Amino acid sequence: GWCPLSLTGAQTTQLLVWPRWTPAVLWDRVTLTCQGLGTSGAITWYKDRRRWWQKGPDHLTVTEIGTYRCDRPSTGLSPSVRVLNDWLVLQVPVWVLLEGDTVTLRCRV
């Protein structure tokens, strides 16, 4: 799955990225999901620090480069996610890595 460690008792909004690589790049067909408490129809999306979509869905497929955030009235503003369209990208998995873990990197052209 691609949920944070636990939403039980969490009071913050999370912006989840699929596929789970960072940085996110357009040619991966990136889906953003705004996760938190409250009704999904009340989500406000921001792109490049400007309100972009009010009363939007809880997830969307990104078609433009930019920096995205979402706001859920019950849990607030999410951290930002930047989506790139660079021609050469070294990506790492978004999950937490500990010293000694084996990790797969993606270098895409």
Side-chain angles (χ1 to χ4, degrees), residues 80 96 106:
S80 60
V96 175
R106 289 197 323 178

Side-chain angles (χ1 to χ4, degrees), residues 54-73:
Q54 197 154 1
K55 297 184 180 177
D58 64 351
H59 67 279
L60 55 90
T61 300
V62 177
T63 58
E64 299 176 359
I65 63 170
T67 301
Y68 294 84
R69 295 180 90 174
C70 67
D71 181 45
R72 296 183 78 106

Side-chain angles (χ1 to χ4, degrees), residues 17-54:
V17 182
W18 185 262
R20 295 180 45 143
W21 294 93
T22 186
V25 287
L26 276 184
W27 29 266
D28 261 346
R29 190 171 156 82
V30 174
T31 299
L32 301 178
T33 300
C34 187
Q35 192 172 68
L37 302 176
T39 57
S40 59
I43 295 171
T44 301
W45 288 92
Y46 295 86
K47 180 179 177 285
D48 299 326
R49 297 184 179 172
R50 294 185 178 177
R51 187 175 13 215
W52 181 57
W53 193 351
Q54 197 154 1

Side-chain angles (χ1 to χ4, degrees), residues 95-103:
W95 52 85
V96 175
L97 297 170
L98 302 173
E99 186 177 344
D101 285 353
T102 300
V103 63

